[in-house]
Amino acid sequence: MTDQLGTLLRRLRAQAGLTQEQVAERSGVSVRTIRRLENGGSTDHRLGTVNLLADALDLGREDRERLVALLARSREGGGGGEVGDGGDGDAPPTPRVPGEVSVPGPTPEPGPAPGTVPLLTGTPAPVVSGGLADVARELATEVRRRLRREEAHRRVHDPFPLPVRWRSAPAGVTDRPDNIQRLGPGALPREVDLSGDLRSVAEVYRRISSGRLVVLGRAGSGKSILTIRFVLDHLEASGGQGRVPVVFGLGSWDPTTTALRDWLIGRLLRDHPHLARRGPRGAPLAAALVDADLVLPVLDGFDEIAEGLRREALESLNATSLPLVLTSRPDEFAEAVRAAHAPLLWAAGVELTDLTHEDLVGYLPRTARPVPRTARPVPKAGRPVPKAARAVPGTGAGGAGADAAGDAGGADTTVRPGPGPEPGLWDGLLEELGAPAAPAAERLAAVLTTPLMVVLARTMYSEVPDRDPVELLDAARFPTVRSLEEHLLAGFVPASYRRRAPERDTAGHRPRPAGWDAGRAERWLGYLAQQLVGRDRDRQDLAWWRIGDSLPRSTRVLAVVVATALSVAVADWLVGLLNTGTGAGETFLQGCLMGPVAGLAFGSAYALVISVRGGTAFEPARVRLRQPGLHGGLGRRPVRTFAARFRDGLLGGFVMGVGYACALSLERAVFRGTPLADADTVESTLINMVCFGLIFGSAAALVFGLVAALEAPVDVTAAATPVSLLAANRATVARQFLVVAPALTVAIAGSGGLVVALLQGVLGPLNWRLADGLLIGAVGGIGGGVSYVLAFTAWGQWVVLTRIWLPLTGRLPWDTAAFLDDAYHRGVLRQTGAVYQFRHARLQHHLGRTFRERQRRYSAATFPSASGAGTP
């Protein structure tokens, strides 16, 4: 029975989502005792110990009765002492009434006595087994791995996390307590303590019956760090079971065009491409996870939604009952609540508080790393202390730094560590802030109340030599709070891009310096920051496939025309070298004519597509090509996808064929002197337009339809990062080209013979030799394949616009991908799934405004107004 009792305890603890350490903290029972109980290693149990564990797990009456029954049966089986006597030694003994078994549990009254704080487990997690449960565990593993890496990259624990505390949110922005606790009519709500700090955020969330929590905090108060810590602690407590918390940046959600469910699925597919695989019922795994209630949305940045959409967003959230965590700045959320005439239903709320002077005193001096010093011989007692060893600060009373114990004798050669951090770096400043009598100290104290500003100050002064933070008290230089904040923001990028010696790789080679000095890096980052500002919103996601959207549509169309024209012209020249029957001059002229025709055709199609898409870029491909017969053979892709590709290929190919016929007639007129106005020439041109249109159209329709049938979701097991997603799309596009180019070549040659055979008697005598068909097909296959890649894939747009066009104009570096990755490793950018974001919205606003002010035609941009939001 002891084993059954331990098994039941383990299962109940897993359902509550608590670790043994957390149960020990709640119950007062030691971890050793809990471990012995769960493993069946303890045979002498106190009822009081089990009662304490039941209270910590907030068990219902039925589960408590099962525990007591197993406990009684274990005692009857000779487990050793009576219930209530001896045993665990961790909890006080519980009085026992003879002949009666105590079954502690919730009282039938509406609520417990005032002052009690029951531990609630929130809404029950769905029970799912089989393949979907495995997918959820894989997602939990990836979320944990990625956020641990992000937390380490942000140096949250260096030297220790800044305190993030909170208090209960104002009553006007939260729901009624009885609604939060999901009580029935007439039931009295119990008192639930929501106070805590960064270490207990997941624990506080579990006290909320509805599973809905709103976290409010002003800009830079630590909301993003809190969400990361919540996800990691929640995953650790749940052991990867139940709902998987996933952070979603809310800034890109438009509730008027996209339902919350569809938006969540889209974000999952973007950041976790492997969830595009089809489930048992044909839906993507991302949709299956959301529909099965296996995803706990952590919605970060409600205030980043466009101002005119916040009321609709809150109403959309209220139309659902799913558990969630939402963060926002207080004013924006309160305004949305007033506009919607309702708070977030069933949601409790907390508001982050400011850092205190004691927090600064404990944190900032420890960020100033000690300067390495040589070890000194420590003299023994009775010998004179060398002058160099006297009055060393921080080495004990009197500052002597010598060992006063021991006997007389020669010098002791024991190596002692040198003194602590560089003395005095923050001492003077912190002393002034401790008693802010001067206005300058008051202003600085008001600035250094958020983790963001403290981190900026640390970066500028603790991590850069020869910088004295006392300059922040210069009243003439910094007359306002805003000027202090702008100074810290302005110094972050130069401090992050200070010159560092490049490390040697494993082979011992020293890489070449990137050449990104602070000035150029700040200009490039400013360009990226100001391009994130739209007409109606301030976007946060910096996606590599959307950087080209910063260019005007006309410029993008022109870039596609030039790129595709060069691709087809070069393909025509290369293939023409194989045709010994055509001279070099005619081949060159043919390429010069075919290139612009193809460029105009692809440019027109591109302009039409981006107009239909509202000017947005192409999304990265989430598919790969697989061999027929594997994974179920053909037909796994939806029929509508195949039909859409077939239609687009037919129309685009027909337009390309018409253009090719016109270019062919023009070539003959220029090179051979054939008059264009001649009736025979016009008739021949019209016939060629029909024939080549059908040949190119049918070939393109067949090939792109076949490619759609061969596509399968990308087979990855890791959450996408910007670098890995770019590399995966490059490989995907390369494989697509290797299939499309030869397939188009064969299809054009084969369809040419079929079309000529069908129209031979209708349009008169037609000529289509196999050799000519293969040459035309090779030009169409190579040139058309490259043009398709450059014009209609995310990686192709990245190459044309971001790798070539923008660097040519000096707005970005040549290796933009390496620059973004380097900015991430320097801490200027952060990663959120498959996209980058600036370290903070305040930094993004500052860089964008600085970039615009340096342009000749400066126009100020407006951002969502809020206190401390950094509005220019």
Side-chain angles (χ1 to χ4, degrees), residues 304-632:
E304 296 171 4
I305 299 176
E307 183 176 357
L309 300 176
R310 292 178 192 144
R311 179 178 63 83
E312 288 81 359
L314 185 57
E315 292 175 349
S316 297
L317 293 174
N318 284 338
T320 70
S321 59
L322 76 164
L324 56 87
V325 176
L326 182 143
T327 72
S328 176
R329 287 183 289 190
D331 293 343
E332 284 80 352
F333 187 76
E335 183 181 355
V337 169
R338 288 192 296 268
H341 304 289
L344 181 61
L345 299 184
W346 307 319
V350 297
E351 185 172 8
L352 304 186
T353 58
D354 291 341
L355 297 175
T356 65
H357 180 259
E358 288 73 18
D359 296 331
L360 301 181
V361 171
Y363 181 80
L364 285 175
R366 289 181 59 177
T367 64
R369 294 297 193 249
V371 178
R373 292 176 172 84
T374 57
R376 303 181 309 276
V378 180
K380 293 184 177 181
R383 294 291 185 112
V385 179
K387 183 177 181 180
R390 297 176 183 170
V392 180
T395 56
D403 187 358
D407 53 3
D412 185 3
T413 58
T414 303
V415 177
R416 297 285 183 88
E422 183 71 19
L425 179 61
W426 292 98
D427 293 351
L429 181 69
L430 293 174
E431 183 178 354
E432 290 290 335
L433 295 182
E442 292 181 357
R443 288 193 292 269
L444 183 58
V447 169
L448 298 179
T449 54
T450 63
L452 172 64
M453 290 299 161
V454 174
V455 169
L456 293 178
R458 166 210 175 132
T459 304
M460 283 189 64
Y461 296 102
S462 291
E463 300 177 9
V464 178
D466 304 325
R467 295 293 300 267
D468 190 351
V470 176
E471 69 180 13
L472 296 173
L473 297 173
D474 189 342
R477 185 178 175 186
F478 308 114
T480 63
V481 169
R482 176 62 184 276
S483 61
L484 279 168
E485 293 176 342
E486 289 299 315
H487 169 70
L488 294 176
L489 289 166
F492 180 72
V493 171
S496 301
Y497 277 86
R498 64 186 184 276
R499 292 190 178 274
R500 302 173 181 173
E503 298 180 357
R504 297 182 183 272
D505 57 19
T506 55
H509 302 295
R510 187 185 298 274
R512 296 180 58 186
W516 297 321
D517 59 79
R520 289 191 294 175
E522 187 172 12
R523 184 175 71 254
W524 293 330
L525 290 168
Y527 174 79
L528 294 171
Q530 62 95 20
Q531 292 300 332
L532 292 177
V533 181
R535 294 182 178 179
D536 59 344
R537 68 177 62 195
D538 181 20
R539 295 179 290 129
Q540 306 295 322
D541 292 347
L542 179 58
W544 58 262
W545 62 90
R546 293 193 180 277
I547 293 178
D549 288 355
S550 61
L551 294 168
R553 291 191 190 182
S554 58
T555 303
R556 292 154 60 189
V557 171
L558 176 60
V560 168
V561 169
V562 173
T564 55
L566 287 175
S567 301
V568 174
V570 172
D572 193 282
W573 292 333
L574 292 176
V575 175
L577 297 177
L578 303 177
N579 186 7
T580 57
T582 305
E586 186 175 357
T587 299
F588 179 77
L589 178 61
Q590 183 178 343
C592 291
L593 293 174
M594 280 300 301
V597 168
L600 291 175
F602 275 97
S604 301
Y606 174 81
L608 179 62
V609 170
I610 64 173
S611 297
V612 172
R613 297 169 59 90
T616 59
F618 297 91
E619 296 287 335
R622 302 191 188 99
V623 296
R624 59 185 174 88
L625 298 182
R626 54 182 168 81
Q627 298 177 2
L630 297 179
H631 308 287

Side-chain angles (χ1 to χ4, degrees), residues 70 133 168 236 727:
L70 286 175
S168 295
E236 180 181 358

